[in-house]
Amino acid sequence: MAHLIRHKLSNKLTNAANTVSNKSQAKVSGLFARMGFQAATDEEGLGFAECDDLDYDYRQGMQMDVLQGDEEGGQMEGEGELDGDSHYQRDGTGPRPSSLKTGGSLDENKPKITSWEAGWNVTNAIQGMFVLGLPYAILHGGYLGLFLIIFAAVVCCYTGKILIACLYEENEDGIKERVRDSYVDIANACCAPRFPTLGGHVVNVAQIIELVMTCILYVVVSGNLMYNSFPGFPVSQKAWSVVATAALLPCAFLKNLKAVSKFSFLCTLAHFVINVLVIAYCLSRARDWAWEKVKFYIDVKKFPISIGIIVFSYTSQIFLPSLEGNMQKPSEFHCMMDWTHISACVLKGLFALVAYLTWADATKEVITDNLPSTIRAVVNLFLVSKALLSYPLPFFAAVEVLEKSLFQDGGRALFPDCYGPNGQLKSWGLGLRVGLVVFTMLMAVFVPHFALLMGLTGSLTGAGLCFLLPSLFHLKLQWRNLLWHHVFFDVAIFVIGGICAISGFIHSIEGLIEAYRYNIHD
């Protein structure tokens, strides 16, 4: 009896001590959380490792197979579903698997890319069709426009690096570990614990705007190129945009990008050939180059639009976290960013300067419209083909974000799931896709101004995603590890980016109003 009493007293004392310890730890953790600091436990670190393993397959469209396999094998607890980027947070608010996959099958089967392949992807993003608007930026900026091309390359390279730095935290041994997986994770971590999903919503909205505006620009440039290729046809630019959209309607039925990705290399190669042809033609007229037209004078009203155009041509931060996570050697990421942005800076600067020297004040929004009619039609048809084949990529990405937010957000979605039990797309999901295609057409019809739309997008979302948010997140998450010059660079980029974004947005809107008021086409 005495032994039983002692045993009960011992248990009560032990429980009381554990309770006091847990409450003290909770108070200390809460104090640090209110101060904006977070500390990942070993269990949380394990959870993020699991999320990293699963996220690749989810993003490649194979999440259903993975989840079904987990349910059959009994390797995952709970509901077994991935709720989206907003749940991959360091504070552990989101659902996560309880154990790692046995045998490491996901790690073994997950394909990795080399630094050269990663550089190729970045190059495709920052040296695509939108370089065709850079000579127009030189028209309104002169030598300062050339400097801005260099400055934007340096800043975007730097912000890409610090964005990736925000994915990592040091463990107890001082070793950096990847605890976040995406741009949305970084934003959520910055807003936690008071607003754990606010940052992710802001980033998602910015991504949707940029992706949809990119789709609109592809339709606008297709209508513009076709109209200027066949000026004798009784078809307006708006009508050509409608024809281009009709060719894009099958995008609403896309289930994956396997079919489209087969043409990506050919599209890039064709665009490279077109750039070479334009530069070759410009070099053939080198004797007539108007060097005296390139000045330090800037058009105060038009130059902020040029800033947006240049910034938009460098946007790649959206997919950098995923790209770095799938590299064979993530340590080579910084080197890859250096040579891709240096090469982009050189090629963009030369292309913009040579094209502007050739046509000077007659430079148009899309530089190929300045070519002689004998070769303009051929070059523009290639560009239209590339634009139409490039449209599904941002379109599909925008659809995925919208579907996840509206239909698949883990029971918190506004509408029922748009996919049936066998993976078939339901009517309201198809309606969303068709509506998005029609929306891009309407915007291209009513706002057929390539340079102004490009400048508006670059000022609105490009500056935010490339300048403002990376520097702000870096200061928030890495403050304890930053040297004084890092703080200076981040603050300077934030201030300069904010000024450029506001001025570019205001002047782009004024330019659109002026274009409508006076019926200006170029």
Side-chain angles (χ1 to χ4, degrees), residues 36-38 90 158-169 180 182-192 195-207 317-318 321 461 463-482 486-487 489-491 493-494:
F37 300 102
Q38 300 178 22
R90 292 199 64 208
Y158 173 77
T159 55
K161 293 176 182 179
I162 64 175
L163 186 68
I164 296 303
C166 292
L167 299 173
Y168 291 84
E169 294 285 351
R180 304 179 187 96
S182 68
Y183 209 141
V184 172
D185 297 340
I186 296 171
N188 284 333
C190 286
C191 295
F195 307 101
T197 61
L198 176 62
H201 292 323
V202 172
V203 171
N204 274 335
V205 170
Q207 288 180 351
Q317 271 73 358
I318 291 178
T461 60
L465 293 172
C466 295
F467 288 7
L468 303 179
L469 294 183
S471 56
L472 182 63
F473 294 163
H474 194 227
L475 288 171
K476 170 68 175 177
L477 296 176
Q478 302 292 326
W479 176 261
R480 291 171 293 178
N481 303 322
L482 297 182
H486 293 145
V487 176
F489 289 153
D490 290 348
V491 173
I493 290 172
F494 184 84

Side-chain angles (χ1 to χ4, degrees), residues 35-70:
M35 294 173 63
F37 300 102
Q38 300 178 22
T41 62
D42 292 340
E43 183 182 2
E44 288 171 340
L46 181 64
F48 287 112
E50 297 165 12
C51 288
D52 287 343
D53 290 337
L54 291 174
D55 188 66
Y56 177 83
D57 297 289
Y58 176 78
R59 294 181 185 281
Q60 297 300 318
M62 299 186 296
Q63 69 274 28
M64 295 303 297
D65 296 334
V66 175
L67 294 176
Q68 289 173 2
D70 290 341

Side-chain angles (χ1 to χ4, degrees), residues 441-464:
M441 179 199 71
L442 293 175
M443 286 293 294
V445 168
F446 290 104
V447 194
H449 301 281
F450 178 76
L452 292 175
L453 279 177
M454 189 173 170
L456 177 64
T457 307
S459 301
L460 184 62
T461 60

Side-chain angles (χ1 to χ4, degrees), residues 138-145 293-301 303 356:
I138 304 299
L139 171 65
H140 299 297
Y143 286 112
L144 193 56
K293 295 290 185 178
V294 188
K295 300 178 180 179
F296 288 98
Y297 168 79
I298 63 173
D299 188 331
V300 178
K301 288 188 176 181
F303 184 66
Y356 175 72

Side-chain angles (χ1 to χ4, degrees), residues 88-142:
Y88 295 168
Q89 303 167 25
R90 292 199 64 208
D91 56 359
T93 59
R96 59 179 178 83
S98 61
S99 60
L100 288 171
K101 300 289 178 288
T102 57
S105 59
L106 285 176
D107 280 336
E108 294 174 0
N109 297 328
K110 183 190 298 183
K112 296 288 187 177
I113 60 176
T114 65
S115 60
W116 288 102
E117 292 170 331
W120 176 256
N121 283 295
V122 174
T123 300
N124 286 339
I126 63 179
Q127 297 194 146
M129 283 193 63
F130 300 115
V131 300
L132 299 176
L134 291 180
Y136 187 78
I138 304 299
L139 171 65
H140 299 297

